[in-house]
Short mmCIF file of all heavy atoms in Angstrom, two decimals:
data_model
loop_
_atom_site.label_atom_id
_atom_site.label_comp_id
_atom_site.label_asym_id
_atom_site.label_seq_id
_atom_site.Cartn_x
_atom_site.Cartn_y
_atom_site.Cartn_z
N GLY Z 12 70.28 89.41 64.06
CA GLY Z 12 70.47 88.96 65.40
C GLY Z 12 71.83 89.36 66.04
O GLY Z 12 72.08 89.15 67.22
N PHE Z 13 72.60 90.11 65.25
CA PHE Z 13 73.90 90.63 65.82
C PHE Z 13 73.96 92.17 65.64
O PHE Z 13 75.08 92.69 65.59
CB PHE Z 13 75.04 90.02 64.99
CG PHE Z 13 75.07 88.45 65.11
CD1 PHE Z 13 74.54 87.72 64.02
CD2 PHE Z 13 75.57 87.85 66.23
CE1 PHE Z 13 74.60 86.28 64.18
CE2 PHE Z 13 75.65 86.45 66.30
CZ PHE Z 13 75.13 85.69 65.31
N GLY Z 14 72.84 92.80 65.62
CA GLY Z 14 72.75 94.24 65.56
C GLY Z 14 72.73 94.82 64.17
O GLY Z 14 72.68 96.07 64.02
N VAL Z 15 72.77 93.93 63.17
CA VAL Z 15 72.76 94.43 61.84
C VAL Z 15 71.35 94.35 61.27
O VAL Z 15 70.71 93.36 61.35
CB VAL Z 15 73.70 93.66 60.88
CG1 VAL Z 15 73.65 94.19 59.47
CG2 VAL Z 15 75.17 93.78 61.36
N GLU Z 16 70.90 95.49 60.62
CA GLU Z 16 69.63 95.45 59.98
C GLU Z 16 69.73 96.12 58.61
O GLU Z 16 70.57 96.97 58.40
CB GLU Z 16 68.50 96.20 60.81
CG GLU Z 16 68.90 97.64 61.10
CD GLU Z 16 67.82 98.27 62.02
OE1 GLU Z 16 67.88 98.02 63.17
OE2 GLU Z 16 66.97 99.00 61.38
N LYS Z 17 68.99 95.55 57.63
CA LYS Z 17 69.04 96.10 56.22
C LYS Z 17 67.71 95.90 55.60
O LYS Z 17 66.96 95.02 55.93
CB LYS Z 17 70.19 95.36 55.56
CG LYS Z 17 69.93 93.88 55.40
CD LYS Z 17 71.12 93.23 54.55
CE LYS Z 17 70.97 91.76 54.37
NZ LYS Z 17 72.02 91.13 53.54
N LYS Z 18 67.58 96.69 54.48
CA LYS Z 18 66.34 96.58 53.73
C LYS Z 18 66.48 95.39 52.74
O LYS Z 18 67.48 95.27 52.11
CB LYS Z 18 66.05 97.92 52.98
CG LYS Z 18 64.70 97.89 52.20
CD LYS Z 18 64.46 99.30 51.67
CE LYS Z 18 63.04 99.29 51.04
NZ LYS Z 18 62.75 100.67 50.48
N ILE Z 19 65.46 94.63 52.74
CA ILE Z 19 65.33 93.50 51.74
C ILE Z 19 64.09 93.53 50.91
O ILE Z 19 63.10 94.19 51.28
CB ILE Z 19 65.49 92.09 52.58
CG1 ILE Z 19 64.24 92.04 53.49
CG2 ILE Z 19 66.80 92.07 53.29
CD1 ILE Z 19 64.14 90.64 54.09
N THR Z 20 64.12 92.64 49.91
CA THR Z 20 62.90 92.43 49.12
C THR Z 20 62.32 91.03 49.35
O THR Z 20 63.18 90.02 49.23
CB THR Z 20 63.17 92.57 47.56
OG1 THR Z 20 63.78 93.85 47.35
CG2 THR Z 20 61.93 92.48 46.75
N VAL Z 21 61.18 90.92 49.74
CA VAL Z 21 60.55 89.59 50.10
C VAL Z 21 59.95 89.03 48.82
O VAL Z 21 59.09 89.62 48.16
CB VAL Z 21 59.43 89.75 51.15
CG1 VAL Z 21 58.79 88.48 51.51
CG2 VAL Z 21 59.97 90.42 52.42
N TRP Z 22 60.42 87.70 48.52
CA TRP Z 22 59.94 87.03 47.36
C TRP Z 22 59.33 85.69 47.73
O TRP Z 22 59.34 84.71 46.91
CB TRP Z 22 61.14 86.79 46.38
CG TRP Z 22 61.51 87.95 45.43
CD1 TRP Z 22 62.51 88.80 45.64
CD2 TRP Z 22 60.80 88.32 44.30
NE1 TRP Z 22 62.47 89.69 44.61
CE2 TRP Z 22 61.41 89.49 43.74
CE3 TRP Z 22 59.68 87.84 43.58
CZ2 TRP Z 22 61.07 90.07 42.62
CZ3 TRP Z 22 59.20 88.48 42.48
CH2 TRP Z 22 59.95 89.53 41.96
N CYS Z 23 58.87 85.63 48.90
CA CYS Z 23 58.26 84.26 49.40
C CYS Z 23 57.04 84.48 50.19
O CYS Z 23 56.59 83.51 50.82
CB CYS Z 23 59.28 83.39 50.10
SG CYS Z 23 60.02 84.23 51.58
N SER Z 24 56.49 85.63 50.20
CA SER Z 24 55.31 85.83 51.05
C SER Z 24 54.01 85.22 50.41
O SER Z 24 53.75 85.20 49.20
CB SER Z 24 54.96 87.38 51.17
OG SER Z 24 53.80 87.65 51.95
N ASN Z 25 53.16 84.72 51.32
CA ASN Z 25 51.87 84.18 50.89
C ASN Z 25 50.79 85.34 50.87
O ASN Z 25 49.59 85.09 50.50
CB ASN Z 25 51.30 83.06 51.73
CG ASN Z 25 51.98 81.73 51.42
OD1 ASN Z 25 52.54 81.56 50.31
ND2 ASN Z 25 52.06 80.84 52.32
N ASP Z 26 51.17 86.51 51.28
CA ASP Z 26 50.31 87.67 51.06
C ASP Z 26 50.44 88.12 49.62
O ASP Z 26 50.88 89.11 49.27
CB ASP Z 26 50.75 88.85 52.01
CG ASP Z 26 49.81 90.04 52.11
OD1 ASP Z 26 48.84 89.99 51.33
OD2 ASP Z 26 50.08 90.94 52.77
N TYR Z 27 49.81 87.23 48.76
CA TYR Z 27 50.05 87.29 47.37
C TYR Z 27 49.66 88.68 46.73
O TYR Z 27 50.42 89.03 45.78
CB TYR Z 27 49.22 86.21 46.65
CG TYR Z 27 49.65 84.74 46.99
CD1 TYR Z 27 48.73 83.87 47.44
CD2 TYR Z 27 50.89 84.30 46.80
CE1 TYR Z 27 49.01 82.58 47.76
CE2 TYR Z 27 51.32 83.00 47.05
CZ TYR Z 27 50.29 82.17 47.58
OH TYR Z 27 50.71 80.81 47.84
N LEU Z 28 48.74 89.29 47.27
CA LEU Z 28 48.32 90.56 46.57
C LEU Z 28 48.57 91.76 47.44
O LEU Z 28 48.07 92.89 47.13
CB LEU Z 28 46.85 90.44 46.23
CG LEU Z 28 46.39 89.31 45.28
CD1 LEU Z 28 44.87 89.26 45.08
CD2 LEU Z 28 47.10 89.37 43.98
N GLY Z 29 49.28 91.63 48.55
CA GLY Z 29 49.64 92.69 49.39
C GLY Z 29 48.40 93.32 50.12
O GLY Z 29 48.46 94.45 50.60
N MET Z 30 47.35 92.46 50.25
CA MET Z 30 46.11 92.96 50.94
C MET Z 30 46.26 93.16 52.39
O MET Z 30 45.51 93.89 52.97
CB MET Z 30 44.97 91.95 50.61
CG MET Z 30 44.53 91.89 49.19
SD MET Z 30 43.96 93.51 48.48
CE MET Z 30 42.41 93.73 49.46
N GLY Z 31 47.30 92.56 52.91
CA GLY Z 31 47.48 92.87 54.42
C GLY Z 31 47.94 94.31 54.62
O GLY Z 31 47.95 94.75 55.79
N GLN Z 32 48.28 95.03 53.54
CA GLN Z 32 48.62 96.42 53.74
C GLN Z 32 47.69 97.38 52.86
O GLN Z 32 47.97 98.53 52.65
CB GLN Z 32 50.07 96.64 53.34
CG GLN Z 32 51.00 95.81 54.16
CD GLN Z 32 52.47 96.08 53.88
OE1 GLN Z 32 52.84 97.07 53.27
NE2 GLN Z 32 53.32 95.16 54.27
N ASN Z 33 46.65 96.75 52.37
CA ASN Z 33 45.70 97.52 51.61
C ASN Z 33 44.97 98.61 52.41
O ASN Z 33 44.53 98.34 53.51
CB ASN Z 33 44.66 96.51 50.95
CG ASN Z 33 43.56 97.32 50.12
OD1 ASN Z 33 42.63 97.82 50.73
ND2 ASN Z 33 43.65 97.27 48.88
N LYS Z 34 44.96 99.81 51.93
CA LYS Z 34 44.39 100.89 52.73
C LYS Z 34 42.99 100.65 53.21
O LYS Z 34 42.68 101.08 54.36
CB LYS Z 34 44.48 102.24 51.94
CG LYS Z 34 45.90 102.74 51.74
CD LYS Z 34 45.96 104.02 50.91
CE LYS Z 34 47.37 104.46 50.76
NZ LYS Z 34 47.47 105.81 49.96
N VAL Z 35 42.11 100.14 52.38
CA VAL Z 35 40.72 99.88 52.73
C VAL Z 35 40.67 98.93 53.80
O VAL Z 35 39.89 99.03 54.82
CB VAL Z 35 39.93 99.44 51.50
CG1 VAL Z 35 38.52 98.96 51.92
CG2 VAL Z 35 39.88 100.44 50.46
N VAL Z 36 41.50 97.81 53.75
CA VAL Z 36 41.49 96.77 54.86
C VAL Z 36 42.04 97.38 56.12
O VAL Z 36 41.49 97.08 57.16
CB VAL Z 36 42.36 95.60 54.37
CG1 VAL Z 36 42.49 94.55 55.44
CG2 VAL Z 36 41.67 94.96 53.10
N ILE Z 37 43.08 98.02 56.06
CA ILE Z 37 43.75 98.67 57.22
C ILE Z 37 42.78 99.63 57.92
O ILE Z 37 42.65 99.58 59.20
CB ILE Z 37 45.08 99.35 56.89
CG1 ILE Z 37 46.12 98.37 56.39
CG2 ILE Z 37 45.65 100.10 58.13
CD1 ILE Z 37 46.50 97.27 57.41
N GLU Z 38 42.10 100.39 57.21
CA GLU Z 38 41.12 101.35 57.77
C GLU Z 38 39.98 100.58 58.46
O GLU Z 38 39.56 101.06 59.59
CB GLU Z 38 40.62 102.20 56.60
CG GLU Z 38 39.72 103.41 57.11
CD GLU Z 38 40.43 104.47 57.84
OE1 GLU Z 38 41.71 104.56 57.68
OE2 GLU Z 38 39.85 105.23 58.55
N SER Z 39 39.49 99.58 57.95
CA SER Z 39 38.52 98.79 58.53
C SER Z 39 38.93 98.23 59.81
O SER Z 39 38.23 98.20 60.88
CB SER Z 39 38.00 97.68 57.53
OG SER Z 39 37.02 96.88 58.18
N ILE Z 40 40.13 97.65 59.83
CA ILE Z 40 40.77 97.08 61.13
C ILE Z 40 40.94 98.04 62.13
O ILE Z 40 40.50 97.89 63.26
CB ILE Z 40 42.11 96.41 60.77
CG1 ILE Z 40 41.89 95.16 59.85
CG2 ILE Z 40 42.87 95.94 62.06
CD1 ILE Z 40 43.17 94.57 59.29
N LYS Z 41 41.48 99.24 61.76
CA LYS Z 41 41.63 100.36 62.80
C LYS Z 41 40.27 100.80 63.36
O LYS Z 41 40.15 100.91 64.65
CB LYS Z 41 42.34 101.46 62.09
CG LYS Z 41 43.82 101.24 61.87
CD LYS Z 41 44.48 102.52 61.19
CE LYS Z 41 45.93 102.34 61.02
NZ LYS Z 41 46.52 103.57 60.36
N ASN Z 42 39.32 101.04 62.51
CA ASN Z 42 38.00 101.54 63.03
C ASN Z 42 37.42 100.50 63.95
O ASN Z 42 36.85 100.87 64.98
CB ASN Z 42 37.05 101.79 61.88
CG ASN Z 42 37.48 103.01 61.08
OD1 ASN Z 42 38.21 103.91 61.50
ND2 ASN Z 42 37.08 103.15 59.85
N THR Z 43 37.35 99.22 63.57
CA THR Z 43 36.80 98.24 64.36
C THR Z 43 37.50 98.01 65.71
O THR Z 43 36.94 97.74 66.71
CB THR Z 43 36.75 96.85 63.58
OG1 THR Z 43 36.17 97.10 62.30
CG2 THR Z 43 35.87 95.84 64.32
N LEU Z 44 38.88 98.11 65.59
CA LEU Z 44 39.74 98.01 66.84
C LEU Z 44 39.35 99.10 67.87
O LEU Z 44 39.21 98.87 69.03
CB LEU Z 44 41.11 98.11 66.46
CG LEU Z 44 42.25 97.81 67.52
CD1 LEU Z 44 42.01 96.21 67.99
CD2 LEU Z 44 43.53 97.92 66.93
N ASP Z 45 39.07 100.34 67.27
CA ASP Z 45 38.73 101.50 68.07
C ASP Z 45 37.27 101.25 68.80
O ASP Z 45 37.13 101.65 69.78
CB ASP Z 45 38.72 102.74 67.37
CG ASP Z 45 40.17 103.22 67.01
OD1 ASP Z 45 41.10 102.81 67.72
OD2 ASP Z 45 40.37 104.01 66.10
N THR Z 46 36.49 100.63 68.05
CA THR Z 46 35.05 100.52 68.51
C THR Z 46 34.76 99.27 69.33
O THR Z 46 33.95 99.26 70.24
CB THR Z 46 34.07 100.49 67.37
OG1 THR Z 46 34.39 99.56 66.44
CG2 THR Z 46 34.13 101.88 66.66
N THR Z 47 35.52 98.04 69.04
CA THR Z 47 35.26 96.90 69.73
C THR Z 47 36.35 96.38 70.69
O THR Z 47 36.16 95.51 71.50
CB THR Z 47 34.96 95.80 68.69
OG1 THR Z 47 36.17 95.46 68.00
CG2 THR Z 47 33.89 96.09 67.79
N GLY Z 48 37.54 96.92 70.52
CA GLY Z 48 38.70 96.46 71.33
C GLY Z 48 39.47 95.45 70.66
O GLY Z 48 39.17 95.07 69.48
N GLY Z 49 40.42 94.78 71.39
CA GLY Z 49 41.35 93.93 70.75
C GLY Z 49 40.78 92.55 70.47
O GLY Z 49 40.96 92.01 69.38
#
């Protein structure tokens, strides 16, 4: 909030398995977004 940014390690996410960034999931979201809209 004061102009400083840094890389951190997150140890409290409920995205337990990192599926929010899984390539298969992301690809499906992108394809559907392109075909159906927001």
Side-chain angles (χ1 to χ4, degrees):
F13 300 99
V15 175
E16 58 184 78
K17 63 179 182 177
K18 187 173 181 179
I19 60 169
T20 305
V21 179
W22 279 102
C23 57
S24 175
N25 282 337
D26 186 0
Y27 294 124
L28 301 178
M30 292 301 292
Q32 301 184 19
N33 178 278
K34 290 181 179 179
V35 174
V36 174
I37 295 297
E38 186 69 19
S39 177
I40 292 172
K41 286 180 176 178
N42 289 341
T43 310
L44 194 61
D45 286 340
T46 56
T47 69

